[in-house]
Amino acid sequence: DYMEANGNVIKSFSSKKDKKKKEPTVNAKKGMNRFVWDTRYPDAKKVPDAVMWGGSHTGPKAIPGDYKVRLKVNGKSQTHAFVIEKDPRIQTTQADFEAQFDLLMDIRNRTSEINKKILTIRSIKKQVNSLTELMKDSGFKNDEIKDAGEDLFKSLTEIEEELIQVKSKSGQDPLNYPIKLDNKIAALVRVVSGVDARPTAQSYGVLDDLVSQAQIHYKKLDKILTDDLFKFNNMVSDAAVPAVMIVPSEMSKER
């Protein structure tokens, strides 16, 4: 575990490989081992296969200061303090480093926030679409549920398209399709981290404006989840839609 001076864990690494985290593993072989931490905090939440133009999900680097590292082996642990030194060639003050770090963390958290909303939307759309398609294929007819599902799907798509550019499928697509709020927020990382200096007032202003725009769509999403999805689920419950539906297989033709 790499920790801040107060004991808050920044990032943990293990000798056991975790395919989901995709983090480097710690060598646990007998004898002397070496592990290098890139000093970065955890990345922002990502939308799988999303195309980014100048945006970054990378977590900010730890600023100069006091830190701790803790090694755990077979139920026992040892903790040691260490220091990240400032590059002596630059004039950046500690206050400047802290201001830059705080803004980068805010951008990271806002990126995670909007991407979680996108993932929620896509999860619900997938479930609604799967249910209505399965009802159709199984012959379970209910026009009210079908229409409500289509309306719910459409409402969610309208919000999704404001949060992320759904048309971009390759790295060159943003040249033809404008980036959306998720990419605009993530793109601030490079602006703020480009130099070792206190962020400009414009950087704070742009983030505040983008977050305000996003929150308008968040409120619409909350209303849909509270009202429309609730009504849709009640329709499905009242119609006693089977938890498992049998889809008739196409009869093979005799030759």
Side-chain angles (χ1 to χ4, degrees):
D1 300 326
Y2 288 91
M3 304 177 290
E4 296 174 338
N6 60 9
N8 290 335
V9 175
I10 299 172
K11 219 168 186 181
S12 297
F13 299 92
S14 173
S15 59
K16 298 179 181 178
K17 187 153 184 79
D18 188 336
K19 293 182 179 180
K20 292 182 179 180
K21 291 185 177 180
K22 295 182 180 179
E23 296 282 7
T25 56
V26 178
N27 195 335
K29 293 181 180 179
K30 185 177 180 180
M32 183 177 291
N33 297 299
R34 183 171 181 264
F35 180 83
V36 178
W37 174 42
D38 62 4
T39 74
R40 288 195 176 277
Y41 278 64
D43 295 346
K45 181 74 175 178
K46 298 179 182 179
V47 174
D49 302 322
V51 176
M52 301 294 289
W53 186 265
S56 174
H57 295 92
T58 305
K61 282 190 173 184
I63 61 176
D66 297 323
Y67 296 89
K68 295 178 181 178
V69 60
R70 179 171 59 202
L71 177 65
K72 298 178 182 178
V73 180
N74 297 327
K76 297 180 180 180
S77 68
Q78 291 185 11
T79 301
H80 292 278
F82 68 96
V83 177
I84 294 179
E85 299 281 1
K86 184 184 86 167
D87 186 337
R89 298 170 297 177
I90 61 177
Q91 301 301 314
T92 312
T93 67
Q94 189 65 20
D96 291 340
F97 276 121
E98 291 174 0
Q100 183 186 50
F101 175 82
D102 289 343
L103 183 55
L104 287 171
M105 284 294 282
D106 195 12
I107 295 170
R108 187 205 70 170
N109 293 341
R110 294 299 186 177
T111 299
S112 290
E113 179 182 41
I114 194 169
N115 286 341
K116 287 177 182 177
K117 300 289 186 184
I118 294 167
L119 291 173
T120 295
I121 289 172
R122 292 187 173 181
S123 174
I124 295 172
K125 285 176 59 179
K126 182 178 179 180
Q127 292 179 67
V128 170
N129 190 57
S130 295
L131 177 63
T132 54
E133 285 295 320
L134 189 55
M135 287 173 57
K136 176 183 176 182
D137 293 342
S138 67
F140 191 100
K141 186 174 177 60
N142 189 307
D143 291 336
E144 186 180 24
I145 292 178
K146 174 179 172 294
D147 293 341
E150 290 177 350
D151 291 341
L152 180 58
F153 192 95
K154 181 180 178 182
S155 297
L156 290 170
T157 298
E158 289 175 353
I159 296 174
E160 179 188 12
E161 291 177 347
E162 293 296 331
L163 302 183
I164 186 171
Q165 180 51 265
V166 298
K167 295 179 180 178
S168 289
K169 305 298 181 184
S170 69
Q172 296 302 310
D173 282 345
L175 293 172
N176 299 312
Y177 308 117
I179 63 173
K180 297 293 184 173
L181 289 170
D182 67 321
N183 201 153
K184 291 179 181 179
I185 292 174
L188 286 174
V189 169
R190 294 188 178 182
V191 175
V192 176
S193 64
V195 293
D196 292 313
R198 179 180 290 270
T200 62
Q202 289 87 344
S203 294
Y204 289 100
V206 170
L207 179 61
D208 288 343
D209 180 59
L210 293 174
V211 170
S212 295
Q213 292 180 49
Q215 287 176 339
I216 293 173
H217 302 295
Y218 296 166
K219 290 180 180 178
K220 292 179 181 178
L221 177 60
D222 289 341
K223 189 175 187 305
I224 290 174
L225 300 184
T226 302
D227 297 338
D228 299 359
L229 181 59
F230 179 76
K231 292 177 182 177
F232 178 79
N233 283 335
N234 282 340
M235 281 184 193
V236 173
S237 178
D238 292 342
V241 176
V244 177
M245 286 176 270
I246 300 174
V247 178
S249 301
E250 184 180 2
M251 298 295 291
S252 59
K253 297 181 181 179
E254 296 182 1
R255 294 183 179 180

